[in-house]
Amino acid sequence: QVIESGDIELPYQSLAFRQAYIDVYPIKGVTISAGKQTIVWGQLDIFSPVDFLLPLDINPMGFSLVKADNRMPQTTVKVSYYPLSNVEFSGYLFPMYEESGLFKNIDMGDNYTEYNGVKYYTQKMLPSGDQQSSSAARATWYASFMTAAVTYYNGFNNVFPVFREKYLGFDNYHQFQTEYGYYPKKGVGAELSIPLGKMSIKGEVAVSDDFATISHEGNQQMIDALVNYNNGYGSIPVYQAFYAVGIDADFDHWFYNLYLMSIIYFKNPAMNDFWGVYESLNGAYEFPSIPVFPTLNVGSYFSEEKKGAYGVALGYFTGGLGMFLYLSNQFNESLAWGLSADFGFNFSDFSMLMNNSNDGSGVSTNYKFFEPKLTMGLGYSI
């Protein structure tokens, strides 16, 4: 949708190694992996709350039901230890901060704007130096009647840049610094899968750091509270709980996935002094309500080998949101093709838009993410 009539083409080109790593087996029961690799967590097949502690990527071939297609490969050192055949302890070190290409081209500039007598400075925040590494640990138990795992993550908000404002003081103007980027984030997750024949009942929950943005509207008491209790930032540390329950089923000729998911927020006790001031001025703070959201995918295989499939998906997926009709098959072991028709939002759309929005033309553009689209792809694997 363009202010001036006409069509806009959003080209996208990419050439990269997705994965290149080595595995070393120094002693029995220990595996060390090092290099560029894709990490996927969680029990749910299509998306996992625990998996969302890891950075997003795009699948350039469009809609995909494979979680790994929409995870960014990272430089990783992973150590896995198997004290028993059905117990795994894994440690992860991500020594460098690598920003996802999905968000790398967001550019808000590094200058300032003035609005109603208030100056806003803009700055992008990227982890660097000896503060850029992140880590994680997982413990997984595989049994005939269940699979269970717990995860601890100590890193950054990889999934999307956080936007924050910091009060700089008053010098003829109230001055604020607008920051956007990546900040320290910790999270814990738990997952469970119970097999019932060719289907499994699954559940996951991830609790992690997040922010609640507070409107101060020039109120000096609120600004003073932000300065005294939150270093001047208008984004208050809170906790986010992302949970999902569902069924993954895979039969001889067809498959389905049915999930219910939701996100809730609650206060961080470390900020109780700030909330006391806020609520004395404004009353109880109400977090945004995100209702339980369903996701359904139903598909059928072309053959008993399960190398091609077609189906319909509706809801929220790792790489998209909306309704999708998809079709995929293989020419041979290495060459495969895919086709999807959808009415929805894809993260690949977002990436293409950001890569092509700064053309210098000055034309104001609103891209319709929710509109009919057709995506075709050809993939080759070694």
Side-chain angles (χ1 to χ4, degrees):
Q1 191 177 44
V2 192
I3 302 302
E4 298 176 359
S5 62
D7 296 326
I8 290 181
E9 181 182 349
L10 296 177
Y12 179 82
Q13 297 182 32
S14 176
L15 178 62
F17 286 108
R18 258 190 85 75
Q19 301 196 88
Y21 62 94
I22 60 171
D23 287 335
V24 179
Y25 308 92
I27 59 175
K28 183 180 179 180
V30 175
T31 303
I32 301 175
S33 302
K36 198 87 165 183
Q37 51 190 306
T38 302
I39 306 298
V40 179
W41 295 333
Q43 298 299 310
L44 293 166
D45 286 352
I46 294 179
F47 73 82
S48 294
V50 177
D51 195 44
F52 272 79
L53 296 171
L54 298 166
L56 286 173
D57 195 6
I58 66 165
N59 173 25
M61 292 174 62
F63 177 74
S64 174
L65 294 172
V66 179
K67 287 193 295 187
D69 285 345
N70 295 289
R71 284 285 160 236
M72 186 185 80
Q74 300 179 82
T75 302
T76 308
V77 177
K78 175 186 175 183
V79 178
S80 297
Y81 171 53
Y82 301 86
L84 301 172
S85 61
N86 63 341
V87 175
E88 177 185 1
F89 296 103
S90 297
Y92 302 81
L93 174 64
F94 311 103
M96 299 180 294
Y97 186 81
E98 299 165 279
E99 186 179 13
S100 170
L102 265 174
F103 313 116
K104 189 173 293 184
N105 291 294
I106 295 179
D107 183 8
M108 300 182 64
D110 287 323
N111 49 14
Y112 75 87
T113 58
E114 184 177 325
Y115 180 73
N116 286 343
V118 179
K119 285 186 176 180
Y120 293 89
Y121 296 81
T122 306
Q123 182 179 5
K124 185 173 184 179
M125 310 297 291
L126 282 172
S128 61
D130 59 0
Q131 302 297 317
Q132 64 179 308
S133 65
S134 55
S135 59
R138 277 174 61 83
T140 309
W141 177 39
Y142 307 94
S144 59
F145 59 92
M146 65 176 290
T147 298
V150 291
T151 302
Y152 172 75
Y153 175 78
N154 184 4
F156 302 92
N157 54 290
N158 290 303
V159 173
F160 198 83
V162 166
F163 292 79
R164 305 202 300 173
E165 280 188 357
K166 181 178 182 180
Y167 183 65
L168 300 180
F170 184 85
D171 183 12
N172 296 323
Y173 297 95
H174 284 291
Q175 299 186 34
F176 291 87
Q177 177 174 285
T178 302
E179 299 178 359
Y180 63 102
Y182 308 92
Y183 301 89
K185 177 176 182 175
K186 294 181 179 180
V188 294
E191 57 202 70
L192 178 69
S193 175
I194 301 175
L196 298 172
K198 294 187 177 181
M199 58 181 284
S200 296
I201 298 175
K202 301 178 178 181
E204 292 188 28
V205 60
V207 179
S208 58
D209 295 322
D210 206 337
F211 294 100
T213 300
I214 301 300
S215 175
H216 50 77
E217 297 180 350
N219 184 304
Q220 192 60 52
Q221 288 179 281
M222 279 300 305
I223 291 176
D224 290 343
L226 295 176
V227 171
N228 292 332
Y229 300 114
N230 200 38
N231 200 28
Y233 284 101
S235 297
I236 309 303
V238 298
Y239 292 129
Q240 176 203 90
F242 182 7
Y243 65 91
V245 295
I247 298 174
D248 288 323
D250 189 1
F251 301 96
D252 293 337
H253 299 287
W254 66 288
F255 54 93
Y256 73 86
N257 313 91
L258 175 62
Y259 302 159
L260 296 175
M261 57 160 282
S262 185
I263 298 176
I264 59 175
Y265 298 90
F266 51 97
K267 295 176 181 177
N268 183 334
M271 300 305 298
N272 282 345
D273 289 341
F274 169 81
W275 289 117
V277 176
Y278 176 91
E279 293 180 354
S280 69
L281 297 172
N282 303 286
Y285 181 81
E286 294 186 6
F287 287 100
S289 176
I290 300 179
V292 175
F293 190 83
T295 290
L296 174 65
N297 167 62
V298 179
S300 179
Y301 295 112
F302 281 121
S303 64
E304 293 182 357
E305 290 79 16
K306 300 183 179 182
K307 293 181 179 179
Y310 61 92
V312 58
L314 178 65
Y316 179 76
F317 305 89
T318 302
L321 170 65
M323 180 177 181
F324 306 86
L325 301 173
Y326 58 89
L327 177 67
S328 64
N329 209 343
Q330 288 184 273
F331 292 112
N332 52 47
E333 291 297 324
S334 299
L335 194 60
W337 58 269
L339 175 71
S340 66
D342 62 87
F343 186 89
F345 163 80
N346 278 293
F347 283 113
S348 54
D349 300 333
F350 181 85
S351 181
M352 285 187 286
L353 179 65
M354 296 310 303
N355 273 280
N356 294 277
S357 60
N358 298 320
D359 59 2
S361 65
V363 177
S364 179
T365 304
N366 291 317
Y367 181 65
K368 290 183 178 179
F369 289 106
F370 284 90
E371 66 176 358
K373 291 184 287 287
L374 183 67
T375 303
M376 296 168 284
L378 188 66
Y380 183 81
S381 60
I382 299 175

